[in-house]
Amino acid sequence: MHYFEYKNGELFAEDIPVRKLVEEYDTPLYIYSAKTFKRHFEAFDSAFEGLKHLTCYSVKANSNLCVLKLLGKLGAGMDIVSGGELFRALKAGISPQKIVYSGVGKREHEIREALLADILMFNVESLEELEKINEVARDLNKKARISLRINPEVDPQTHPYISTGMEKNKFGLAREFALQGYKLAKELSHIEPIGIDCHIGSQLTSISPFLDALDKILDFYEELKKQDINIQYLDLGGGLGITYNQEEPPHPLEFGKALKEKLKGLDLTLILEPGRVIAGNAGILVTRVLYTKKTKKKNFIIVDAAMNDLIRPSLYGSYHKISPVVENKGEIITADIVGPICESGDFLAQDREIPAPTKDDLLAVFSAGAYGFTMSSQYNSRPRAAELLIDGDKVTVARRREVYLDLIALEDNCL
Ligand code: LLP
């Protein structure tokens, strides 16, 4: 469910016609809906009512400061994977006690920053990292709270680039190493093991891989108890999928119910790290048709948004629904919708059926709120798009459009 709806044949972002926003802010343009963010966060978080839990929004999905602030006000914690994300979360006013830090390659200065901020815990992914965190904590005379990320070796049945919980993936520790890790953690003077963590992948459209992973984690939790290692937090990561096209992912309520069932009676606080399910359908990318052309083989619609603005179709072959901003009753054609970048991999859609647009028409690319702007770049020296946050009839420029000077702002030695 989201608040991008057609009224009288044209697309609105909450109470404002998208066409009007483009008149003022130009294209390519990311538009987010505050009401949708709120609705998604509340639907997700309330699915775990009755269970001690903390919903740590995964900052990587959409890290705009306005978005983080909005979610923080609703009570969200944050899942971060870099010093930069820590910086953003703190700037957004998130309590460090609600921040968990994941990722296989934390650098020393990032560990120091997180320790100084006194975050809730580090999700540790290797024994060497554990030793490093101990070392940095010793220097600061602090105790680092940690959990170890277990690789539960389950297949999340999603795109290989976003599967993380299989034996062949770089993430987490296999059970044997994890046991060794907890024993080491107990011995290290500046480490306090308080949690157990896993994250098996992203855009999961069924509950069973989560439950399989949870069974394995709970089994391991029992083993830890026997070893006198007392865990208080169970972090199950993120990964719940959304509808881009025909997918029918479980509703958060169903997900919550299934997890509550398995966790009842256990003295554990559940941590969840949802990203896409909160942000994905809370944003669209609006683009303008520059030209259309026909080749011997195909119809092309050339638009002003490109793979530098939204890389998901190029990188994962992923589907984003694309529709005219002002409904167009023209003939349906099959076309590739492509950007101006000099690569054949630069497309937003391939072989897509769409009412034939004409030059200057606006198209909305849906489900672009997660892993859209955060994965954007300046490739081909294209200034990055602007981001707007709409709340009813109120517009906030959440990030201004970059200008040419932004492209060279850090190259002053070469001027
Ligand atoms: N926690 C950890 C440790 C993660 O690695 C991720 C995502 C999440 C939570 C949030 O997962 P979500 O709820 O959003 O599925 N760029 C890709 C997605 C990469 C996901 C990486 N990790 C895409 O555009 O599909």
Side-chain angles (χ1 to χ4, degrees), residues 110-130:
E110 296 176 308
I111 295 171
R112 193 176 326 112
E113 288 152 17
L115 281 169
L116 287 172
D118 203 22
I119 64 162
L120 175 60
M121 69 182 185
F122 292 87
N123 289 334
V124 176
E125 306 226 13
S126 66
L127 301 187
E128 289 191 8
E129 182 194 336
L130 190 60

Side-chain angles (χ1 to χ4, degrees), residues 136-151:
V136 183
R138 191 194 314 114
D139 289 348
L140 295 173
N141 200 19
K142 282 187 168 276
K143 207 147 192 172
R145 290 174 293 273
I146 64 107
S147 67
L148 292 186
R149 178 165 172 180
I150 314 297
N151 182 338

Side-chain angles (χ1 to χ4, degrees), residues 58 60 79 162 199 202 238-239 273-276 312 316 371 375:
S58 193
K60 63 176 86 61
D79 157 50
I162 52 177
H199 166 81
S202 197
E273 303 173 354
R276 188 187 318 261
R312 304 192 69 259
Y316 315 113
Y371 308 109
M375 295 182 81

